[in-house]
Amino acid sequence: MIRILVILTGAALTLQALIGLSFFLSSVWERERRAAILGGLQFLVMAGVFILFLYLERLGVFRSGPGPWILLCVLLAGGIIIALLVRRTAPNKRALEGTRGLIVGEVRRQDERETVFARNRSLRPGTERYSAFYREHPEYEEFDAKRRLPGGISGPPGRIDKPHEVPNVAATLAQQVIALSLSAPERVRPNTAPPLRGKAVKISPREAALRVKGFARHMGADLVGITRVNPLWFYSNRGEIFNENWEDWGKEIPVEHEFAVVFATEMSLDMIATSPHTPTSIESNCQYAKGAAIATQLASYIANLGYSATANHFRHYEALMVPLAVDAGLGELSRMGYLVTKEFGPRVRLAAVTTNMPLVPDKPVDLGVEDFCRICKKCAVCCPSGSIPMGEQREVNGTLRWKLDAESCFEYWGKIGTGCNVCMRVCPWSHARTFPHKLIVELVSRNSLSRRLFTIMDDLFYGRIPKPRKGPEWAKFWE
């Protein structure tokens, strides 16, 4: 019996030391200096406890007297802690309902003309559209007027890294070429005349889902899900204009399709780690371009099978991507307003294809994100513009959620000349998916106690307000 206790205790101490070592090595690989130092100290303590155990065992301390009881208590305490961290706590039923679980009142379809991006890009002073919009929405006029003034809140791209910003700004602008070229009407809504048999291919919804998901992954999508479209998440009117098709501005957007194929592409941790500096904008535009290429080709693939399809990407959205992604089971809505996925946290960019092709939808998921965000608040603490709320969720347009202040967020973007992404960088879900982080994600997804423990641990090892890193040499913004 004593031998069994010794073996079990030795195995447990070995396992915890190996986990400590893996975290230290992971931190070194991630170039997280603070985490590496503290992780190294943690491993030394764990290794020291193991060596002390071996020494005491060699002296025979555990073979008589209170020794066996000490081992039994250690194993019992360890078992209780593991059980508390591993057990699956009650699910979030609202999360399992997807966006329907967030609806608490009447929801109005959002007018794309009111979004800060559409106002910035598509309202040109001196035009009738400009005058008509601000007559209907005087609440935006003062903010937008200041933004347009010389020397106003919208400065030159990459201002935060001046005078070393030019190469990265050039790369950022280069990344926009693909998405812009793929915003033409014939690209986002390809011809549905099948080039092969001349009529729609008969295919079961299950096989169709298998094929479109596989094609999207083959084209470079990292996550793919399918949802039955909720019309509430479609824009009501067109606001973003590209390719000079101004006759579309203000037109109603009909909900023509029943299904949406939603996908995500991972954003590079090395590039996001520099936020709010210019490399993070390169990466954002890189993944937007990738999403545009995948979406337009996926829409064309579905059209070639004889079904109607519309690509939704960086330069052509008909719907809100995060709600569609939540309903497609890719992740959950977070405090910062981004989708948080189990695989990459918020480090993703989203795109979608809507279609009338019959498909088998996926189910929403409960990852514990809502509970985690309620505890963590790190994105709100670190937000340079204070745009992320610190308080509880509230009703916004009939939905219960945390509401990002898009105006102050966009104002900060204008001041620094990048897309910021600080909230994405500091989120504990954003860490590289090395073994220790995969283990933590599994525990956090299952257990409310783990969420509380690891928010504290993240602050300890990475800091409550983590500093940005320099990033790769080719995208440097310093001398």
Side-chain angles (χ1 to χ4, degrees):
M1 181 62 183
I2 294 177
R3 183 174 180 79
I4 294 175
L5 290 175
V6 169
I7 292 173
L8 289 176
T9 304
L13 293 176
T14 300
L15 180 61
Q16 57 95 28
L18 289 175
I19 291 175
L21 177 61
S22 71
F23 180 78
F24 166 68
L25 295 175
S26 173
S27 301
V28 171
W29 179 78
E30 293 177 74
R31 291 182 288 119
E32 292 283 359
R33 183 178 179 182
R34 174 177 172 142
I37 292 172
L38 294 178
L41 293 175
Q42 174 187 255
F43 169 66
L44 290 176
V45 171
M46 291 175 171
V49 171
F50 179 67
I51 292 171
L52 177 62
F53 165 77
L54 292 179
Y55 176 71
L56 294 176
E57 163 59 17
R58 186 174 181 181
L59 293 178
V61 171
F62 302 122
R63 299 183 183 279
S64 60
W69 293 103
I70 294 174
L71 294 180
L72 188 60
C73 289
V74 169
L75 290 173
L76 185 60
I80 291 173
I81 292 171
I82 291 172
L84 290 174
L85 295 177
V86 170
R87 69 187 181 91
R88 188 177 293 279
T89 51
N92 182 351
K93 294 182 179 179
R94 290 197 307 166
L96 294 174
E97 293 179 21
T99 57
R100 292 190 182 278
L102 303 177
I103 296 176
V104 293
E106 183 179 356
V107 179
R108 176 184 66 88
R109 285 173 61 184
Q110 184 174 356
D111 188 333
E112 191 184 30
R113 292 173 295 182
E114 298 176 13
T115 65
V116 68
F117 296 108
R119 284 158 31 212
N120 181 60
R121 284 191 282 251
S122 299
L123 285 178
R124 298 180 178 178
T127 63
E128 176 55 32
R129 287 180 295 273
Y130 182 94
S131 300
F133 179 82
Y134 289 111
R135 279 197 302 270
E136 294 182 17
H137 302 284
E139 68 274 17
Y140 298 126
E141 188 170 13
E142 182 179 356
F143 173 83
D144 291 351
K146 287 181 179 178
R147 172 173 48 79
R148 293 188 177 95
L149 288 173
I153 65 171
S154 289
R159 180 193 290 187
I160 190 173
D161 293 334
K162 196 173 183 177
H164 309 296
E165 82 283 8
V166 173
N168 286 352
V169 171
T172 300
L173 296 175
Q175 293 289 340
Q176 296 181 6
V177 172
I178 291 177
L180 284 170
S181 65
L182 295 178
S183 65
E186 66 273 14
R187 299 301 180 196
V188 295
R189 295 189 187 90
N191 188 354
T192 57
L196 301 177
R197 297 181 182 177
K199 59 182 180 181
V201 176
K202 291 184 178 179
I203 184 172
S204 73
R206 188 169 300 280
E207 183 181 353
L210 175 68
R211 287 184 178 274
V212 297
K213 284 183 175 181
F215 183 76
R217 290 193 182 97
H218 179 69
M219 296 304 299
D222 294 301
L223 304 172
V224 189
I226 295 171
T227 181
R228 195 178 297 275
V229 163
N230 184 337
L232 293 175
W233 311 134
F234 270 66
Y235 287 114
S236 61
N237 299 83
R238 172 72 61 213
E240 286 269 42
I241 299 301
F242 302 101
N243 295 290
E244 297 300 313
N245 56 326
W246 290 99
E247 67 279 2
D248 285 351
W249 189 86
K251 279 188 177 180
E252 290 187 11
I253 299 176
V255 182
E256 301 174 318
H257 296 144
E258 186 179 357
F259 295 97
V261 183
V262 193
F263 60 89
T265 56
E266 180 189 7
M267 298 179 72
S268 163
L269 182 59
D270 281 346
M271 299 289 275
I272 295 302
T274 68
S275 63
H277 295 279
T278 46
T280 195
S281 290
I282 298 176
E283 182 60 14
S284 287
N285 281 273
C286 176
Q287 297 310 318
Y288 278 132
K290 188 175 180 181
I294 296 169
T296 50
Q297 290 177 89
L298 179 58
S300 183
Y301 172 53
I302 293 173
N304 288 343
L305 295 174
Y307 297 91
S308 173
T310 299
N312 286 256
H313 61 71
F314 185 40
R315 288 297 182 256
H316 181 266
Y317 290 122
E318 292 192 349
L320 301 166
M321 293 295 98
V322 173
L324 291 185
V326 169
D327 287 339
L330 297 190
E332 284 188 61
L333 179 64
S334 66
R335 179 183 289 271
M336 69 186 91
Y338 282 131
L339 181 81
V340 168
T341 68
K342 187 174 184 179
E343 294 81 1
F344 311 112
R347 288 188 297 105
V348 295
R349 287 297 183 216
L350 300 171
V353 172
T354 60
T355 180
N356 66 348
M357 185 184 209
L359 298 166
V360 177
D362 295 293
K363 296 180 180 180
V365 294
D366 171 22
L367 304 177
V369 170
E370 182 180 348
D371 187 35
F372 188 94
C373 287
R374 187 173 288 111
I375 302 163
C376 177
K377 302 181 181 180
K378 199 164 194 170
C379 60
V381 169
C382 296
C383 179
S385 59
S387 302
I388 301 172
M390 287 285 291
E392 290 298 309
Q393 297 160 304
R394 60 186 179 88
E395 183 176 344
V396 181
N397 187 26
T399 60
L400 188 65
R401 57 191 172 95
W402 289 286
K403 176 65 171 71
L404 173 79
D405 184 342
E407 307 300 323
S408 61
C409 179
F410 187 73
E411 181 178 355
Y412 183 73
W413 289 20
K415 287 179 178 178
I416 63 173
T418 75
C420 186
N421 284 332
V422 166
C423 55
M424 186 182 291
R425 168 173 62 83
V426 303
C427 177
W429 289 78
S430 282
H431 295 303
R433 290 304 187 260
T434 53
F435 168 73
H437 290 302
K438 284 183 178 179
L439 178 61
I440 291 169
V441 167
E442 286 297 328
L443 295 174
V444 165
S445 298
R446 296 174 59 91
N447 187 275
S448 59
L449 179 61
S450 293
R451 292 164 206 150
R452 284 152 180 78
L453 173 63
F454 288 113
T455 53
I456 296 171
M457 297 294 286
D458 195 85
D459 287 349
L460 173 63
F461 283 93
Y462 296 94
R464 184 59 172 165
I465 305 178
K467 296 179 179 179
R469 298 205 308 259
K470 283 190 172 182
E473 182 72 17
W474 71 267
K476 71 177 183 177
F477 49 92
W478 67 93
E479 282 296 338

